[in-house]
Amino acid sequence: MATAQTLSPFSFSTVPHILCEAGAAKRLGEEIRMRFSQVRRALIVTDAGFLKTGLVDAPVASLRSNNIDVSIFSGVLADPPEQIVLQAAAEARKYETDLVIGLGGGSSMDVAKLIAVLAGSGQDLKSMYGIGNVKGSRLPLVQVPTTAGTGSEVTPISIVTTGETTKMGVVSPQLYADLAVLDAELTLGLPPKVTAATGIDAMVHAIESYTSKHKKNPLSDLLATKALALLSENLVAACEDGRNLGVRQSMLLGATLAGQAFANAPVAAVHALAYPVGGIFHVPHGLSNSLVLPHVLRFNASHAAPHYAELAEILVPDATGTAEARTHAFIAKLEEIAERVGIETRLREVGITEADIDRLADDAMLQTRLLTNNPREVTREDARAIYAAAW
Ligand SMILES: NC(=O)c1ccc[n+]([C@@H]2O[C@H](COP(=O)([O-])OP(=O)(O)OC[C@H]3O[C@@H](n4cnc5c(N)ncnc54)[C@H](O)[C@@H]3O)[C@@H](O)[C@H]2O)c1
Ligand SMILES: [Fe+2]
């Protein structure tokens, strides 16, 4: 007779409202007016690339027709530098905004979170880095993702570039937004390469959450598996036919579900090894993850095969044999997806030389916040070997 498994204690947090509806951004004003009756001024946080698409116009018109004044900060840069965050927060204070809207990819949403806490309290940014270090409250915060994606719309995390090449995270419950609006109309024009890289980032969130060492739990597992199903079923189609609204909405939901999963069961060595690739060589976040993904999973297989085999049921349902055999089929399928969407698959293709591998390994070991979640301990020599395999 099977014995009942003991349920380990866990906690789970997420944003209180998610609106998943194509076209919803055109009604952003009504949605915000309904929930925040006192709001007079809103600051939209985006980047110059997204501003140029003209997709900001409809939400702005909707806010104005609901008697909300709007100012736009479009100075966000990818992998946002600290200076940009401080500049944006100063503008928010000057404008006396009473609500912040992140409208863009992970970079814009991450900046929006920090503006909301910086403009809402007197605390300085430097004292916020790390886990649980935000002290005060924040301004009301609405997140509208335009990539699918980082999941930042539902995570309590903001990643900032602090030096030339280093990134630091602010992780605090105040960074959970009040509302996330998932409107795939905003993502229809996302170029195939960005669709591919950001989509694989979301798949990595689901995979790493499902094997997260300490905080994996039944809710994060449910979200991660549903996310992986949505993302793997739609990623290739989204890259090949970006104008397909149904496919894009599924990608957006998949990315959000993966975000909810890893906000509670955090990511690990794939992200730890991806950060130096992005930081030193300015490779986009999703692509850096994709480059190291199969090699980290192969390294982890000795410790995580039963979990990868469960995920294989989603990606390669026909795979048979031992957990190890199904794990290898799973990894091979992920490699096939990266090939099909046409992004780079080797570190040497993104300007990295063999001589850079030692520096990458040294930097990866600094990502202790992430490495601690990995199912298998990673030594510096392990990290070096993984980079060498990915090169
Ligand atoms: N907070 C979190 O939980 C979390 C998780 C993972 C990653 N991140 C961070 O998020 C950032 C990466 O975010 P990202 O991958 O979404 O990219 P991004 O926000 O840097 O945007 C990438 C590019 O895509 C363009 N773009 C965005 N949406 C578009 C659209 N709909 N149409 C046309 N162009 C569009 C932007 O203008 C930009 O040039 C990194 O800084 C990373 O560290 C945060
Ligand atoms: Fe990520």
Side-chain angles (χ1 to χ4, degrees):
M1 199 174 76
T3 49
Q5 281 214 323
T6 323
L7 189 59
S8 306
F10 73 95
S11 71
F12 185 90
S13 303
T14 194
V15 304
H17 298 289
I18 295 172
L19 175 61
C20 180
E21 181 188 329
K26 292 195 196 100
R27 295 190 292 97
L28 193 62
E30 284 100 280
E31 292 296 332
I32 287 177
R33 174 57 71 222
M34 199 165 73
R35 291 181 169 86
F36 309 94
S37 56
Q38 304 300 315
V39 165
R40 293 283 163 265
R41 285 191 202 92
L43 178 72
I44 292 185
V45 183
T46 190
D47 65 27
F50 186 74
L51 186 67
K52 238 191 268 162
T53 65
L55 291 165
V56 185
D57 300 351
V60 167
S62 165
L63 288 158
R64 288 193 175 135
S65 70
N66 281 277
N67 298 320
I68 300 169
D69 281 341
V70 184
S71 177
I72 300 175
F73 177 84
S74 61
V76 173
L77 300 177
D79 305 303
E82 201 172 43
Q83 205 43 44
I84 296 286
V85 175
L86 297 175
Q87 194 188 322
E91 287 203 17
R93 276 196 211 97
K94 201 167 120 204
Y95 178 59
E96 293 181 0
T97 193
D98 36 34
L99 180 129
V100 181
I101 302 169
L103 177 60
S107 300
S108 296
M109 291 189 286
D110 281 7
V111 173
K113 289 175 187 179
L114 292 176
I115 296 174
V117 290
L118 287 166
S121 79
Q123 196 184 345
D124 74 330
L125 180 56
K126 290 236 180 311
S127 66
M128 290 182 183
Y129 292 118
I131 301 177
N133 293 330
V134 175
K135 302 295 175 222
S137 57
R138 60 154 171 77
L139 296 178
L141 175 65
V142 175
Q143 298 283 28
V144 189
T146 66
T147 63
T150 63
S152 177
E153 64 278 10
V154 289
T155 72
I157 306 165
S158 178
I159 310 286
V160 177
T161 304
T162 45
E164 266 296 292
T165 58
T166 45
K167 279 189 160 191
M168 286 179 81
V170 178
V171 185
S172 265
Q174 290 92 330
L175 268 50
Y176 280 117
D178 296 299
L179 168 69
V181 178
L182 314 182
D183 175 0
E185 284 185 2
L186 302 173
T187 70
L188 292 176
L190 197 63
K193 276 214 159 184
V194 188
T195 303
T198 50
I200 291 178
D201 182 32
M203 288 174 70
V204 175
H205 295 156
I207 296 166
E208 291 212 283
S209 158
Y210 197 76
T211 56
S212 196
K213 190 164 182 184
H214 307 292
K215 294 188 173 168
K216 172 181 167 67
N217 66 72
L219 278 177
S220 64
D221 283 353
L222 266 178
L223 290 158
T225 49
K226 182 65 185 173
L228 193 60
L230 284 166
L231 295 163
S232 60
E233 278 163 20
N234 290 285
L235 178 62
V236 173
C239 295
E240 288 175 356
D241 176 17
R243 307 296 305 177
N244 185 320
L245 191 58
V247 161
R248 290 290 198 177
Q249 193 71 35
S250 296
M251 286 298 295
L252 210 42
L253 179 61
T256 298
L257 301 184
Q260 290 181 295
F262 92 86
N264 292 279
V267 293
V270 179
H271 273 74
L273 269 70
Y275 273 132
V277 173
I280 303 170
F281 297 97
H282 303 289
V283 174
H285 175 77
L287 177 56
S288 346
N289 272 289
S290 183
L291 289 165
V292 296
L293 172 66
H295 309 284
V296 173
L297 297 200
R298 256 181 222 117
F299 169 79
N300 284 349
S302 58
H303 289 59
H307 290 143
Y308 292 146
E310 285 165 13
L311 296 179
E313 287 173 26
I314 301 166
L315 252 70
V316 271
D318 298 340
T320 53
T322 61
E324 283 72 23
R326 282 176 287 145
T327 294
H328 288 291
F330 176 65
I331 298 169
K333 183 71 183 181
L334 290 168
E335 287 179 313
E336 186 194 312
I337 292 173
E339 292 276 349
R340 277 195 68 185
V341 296
I343 53 173
E344 291 85 349
T345 55
R346 315 288 322 174
L347 292 178
R348 70 182 75 179
E349 294 168 341
V350 296
I352 296 175
T353 69
E354 225 172 343
D356 296 318
I357 291 179
D358 278 304
R359 183 176 173 201
L360 288 170
D362 287 340
D363 276 20
M365 295 317 288
L366 302 176
Q367 297 291 335
T368 48
R369 171 177 76 88
L370 302 172
L371 289 172
T372 179
N373 304 315
N374 203 55
R376 178 175 174 187
E377 193 193 335
V378 183
T379 66
R380 191 207 172 267
E381 279 321 295
D382 295 331
R384 201 191 180 290
I386 295 168
Y387 283 126
W391 190 73

